[in-house]
Amino acid sequence: MKSLCFDSGPIISLAMGRLLWILKPLKEHFGGKFYITPSVRRELVERPLKIKRFQFEALEVIKLLKEGVIEVYDTIPQNIANKLDHMANKTYTRDGRPLKIIHSGEIETVACAMALKNHGIVMDERTTRLLIEKPTQLKKLLGRRLHTSVQPIPQNIKEFTTFVGKIKIIRSIELVAAAYKLGILNDYIPALRNGKSTLLDAVLWGTKYNGCAVTENEILEIKKTLLTS
């Protein structure tokens, strides 16, 4: 059965935008499994339950787990996760030292997809996505974030990308776009002259501001495509 492995970021983005409910109808249309890993569950449930500001979002995730919309993939192959950790965090250096750029939740999510024969990943975090899809573009991003010079290790990058292979990565913004295209959001179209445009602005920009790494140009292109399709 086909499946998608979720990192914590997209679920947080949807929860903060009050759009977490779209996962249930999206899963029904997808006809497969939605998985999170144990590390991602800790990020989404155990930690926020201790912080009053984020407790309700954690309860929303618990509800989805109870309903079976999301399932925890417990059998993460530790040998794959360890190798990913070792390889990914030796692809760039700062001041001659390896730079840790990927953390446990992202590592487990990639390992989950690999264990499931390279089924897709849902991930908003730009660093991991670039390392998998466009590793040569990561140097500029890391340098800008860290305000210092970083150096790639081409051989290590090649070994990592070869090991991971081709994994399809989508973001929460694509989930929201799919929900709109499938009519899942139709009840929210206001009775205005540009009602569809207003709804798309609300959900697309809201998803960006709630944590999804997406550019303004990408949002405009997604909106244009949805309005003309």
Side-chain angles (χ1 to χ4, degrees):
M1 178 178 286
K2 59 184 178 179
S3 60
L4 290 175
C5 300
F6 281 69
D7 187 32
S8 59
I11 294 178
I12 292 171
S13 297
L14 294 176
M16 298 301 289
R18 298 182 292 280
L19 288 170
L20 202 54
W21 63 271
I22 70 173
L23 290 182
K24 186 173 183 178
L26 282 175
K27 184 187 178 187
E28 291 170 355
H29 181 82
F30 178 64
K33 298 280 192 178
F34 285 177
Y35 287 117
I36 60 173
T37 69
S39 287
V40 170
R41 179 191 161 88
R42 285 192 291 274
E43 291 180 33
L44 294 173
V45 177
E46 280 82 356
R47 292 177 186 172
L49 274 177
K50 299 175 183 178
I51 306 171
K52 288 182 171 57
R53 179 182 175 186
F54 302 118
Q55 282 179 334
F56 188 72
E57 285 78 9
L59 295 177
E60 287 185 296
V61 174
I62 291 173
K63 181 175 182 289
L64 291 178
L65 287 166
K66 285 181 179 179
E67 294 173 346
V69 176
I70 300 172
E71 301 173 50
V72 178
Y73 189 82
D74 287 314
T75 54
I76 300 295
Q78 202 56 48
N79 60 324
I80 293 179
N82 290 341
K83 190 169 183 178
L84 284 170
D85 190 4
H86 177 78
M87 296 174 74
N89 291 313
K90 289 189 176 180
T91 54
Y92 280 83
T93 62
R94 177 176 60 178
D95 299 328
R97 297 180 179 180
L99 186 61
K100 187 172 182 64
I101 59 175
I102 298 183
H103 300 281
S104 60
E106 295 134 29
I107 288 167
E108 281 194 358
T109 301
V110 176
C112 174
M114 293 176 68
L116 292 166
K117 307 302 181 185
N118 285 355
H119 286 203
I121 290 174
V122 186
M123 181 175 288
D124 284 348
E125 211 287 319
R126 183 171 288 164
T127 300
T128 306
R129 286 193 293 108
L130 283 179
L131 183 58
I132 293 173
E133 296 180 331
K134 301 175 182 178
T136 57
Q137 296 183 15
L138 188 53
K139 178 181 178 180
K140 184 177 180 180
L141 174 67
L142 291 174
R144 187 168 65 246
R145 283 184 178 177
L146 300 172
H147 306 289
T148 188
S149 176
V150 299
Q151 297 301 321
I153 305 177
Q155 181 60 33
N156 291 0
I157 292 173
K158 182 178 180 180
E159 289 178 1
F160 173 82
T161 54
T162 300
F163 179 62
V164 172
K166 292 184 178 180
I167 295 179
K168 182 175 178 59
I169 303 177
I170 61 176
R171 298 167 293 180
S172 56
I173 199 87
E174 278 90 33
L175 294 180
V176 172
Y180 175 88
K181 189 171 183 178
L182 292 168
I184 294 169
L185 297 171
N186 280 357
D187 287 345
Y188 292 90
I189 299 174
L192 301 172
R193 181 180 178 184
N194 297 312
K196 292 181 178 180
S197 177
T198 300
L199 172 61
L200 284 172
D201 281 339
V203 294
L204 295 177
W205 284 99
T207 302
K208 173 180 172 62
Y209 292 136
N210 284 315
C212 181
V214 56
T215 67
E216 179 178 351
N217 286 339
E218 285 179 299
I219 288 179
L220 294 176
E221 186 61 34
I222 291 170
K223 180 181 176 182
K224 179 181 177 181
T225 300
L226 290 172
L227 288 176
T228 56
S229 61

